[in-house]
């Protein structure tokens, strides 16, 4: 199993409506990209200085599934939106049993 984690720190001027739209479009990927085994996305609840605003966890069967997800046009569109509205985006990908 390959785990893909992404976190977004939105720009201060990005309103709740845009943040919610971004999360909704991320959630919709689960019904569009068949390589996704499981997808979770949500808003931060602690609001610590070190916190990011949104987080995504996606599980794939293998690296090839992640690669197809990464290249998928709908993922590309959502990724572009996330980059446009964020001041910082971080990610990590790793294999888990």
């Amino acid at each position: 199993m390959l785990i893909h984690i992404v976190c977004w720190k939105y720009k201060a001027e990005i309103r709740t409506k845009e943040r919610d739209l971004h999360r909704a479009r991320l959630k919709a990927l689960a019904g569009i990209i068949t390589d996704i085994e499981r997808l979770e996305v949500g808003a931060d609840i602690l609001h610590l200085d070190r916190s990011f605003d949104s987080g995504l966890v996606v599980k794939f069967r293998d690296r090839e599934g992640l690669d197809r997800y990464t290249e998928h046009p709908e993922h590309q569109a959502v990724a572009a939106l996330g980059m446009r509205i964020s001041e910082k985006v971080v990610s990590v990908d790793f294999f888990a049993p």
Side-chain angles (χ1 to χ4, degrees):
M1 189 68 50
L2 191 144
I3 311 297
H4 172 66
I5 300 172
V6 183
C7 297
W8 294 265
K9 181 70 170 175
Y10 299 125
K11 296 174 184 174
E13 66 270 16
I14 301 303
R15 302 208 180 273
T16 301
K17 182 178 178 181
E18 288 176 281
R19 295 167 187 234
D20 291 344
L21 173 64
H22 180 236
R23 290 184 202 108
R25 288 191 59 195
L26 289 166
K27 286 179 187 178
L29 293 174
I32 297 169
I33 303 174
T34 58
D35 287 292
I36 294 172
E37 297 284 320
R38 183 177 175 105
L39 183 147
E40 302 290 337
V41 64
D44 177 61
I45 60 169
L46 297 181
H47 308 289
L48 302 173
D49 287 341
R50 66 184 175 102
S51 294
F52 279 66
D53 299 305
S54 291
L56 170 80
V57 179
V58 186
K59 293 183 180 182
F60 298 94
R61 185 177 321 272
D62 51 31
R63 173 64 190 265
E64 291 77 17
L66 172 63
D67 291 344
R68 285 187 293 272
Y69 164 86
T70 301
E71 296 166 4
H72 192 284
E74 188 58 30
H75 170 264
Q76 290 288 317
V78 176
L81 170 62
M83 293 300 288
R84 183 180 59 77
I85 66 175
S86 297
E87 64 182 53
K88 185 166 186 151
V89 181
V90 296
S91 67
V92 63
D93 299 273
F94 58 90
F95 286 104

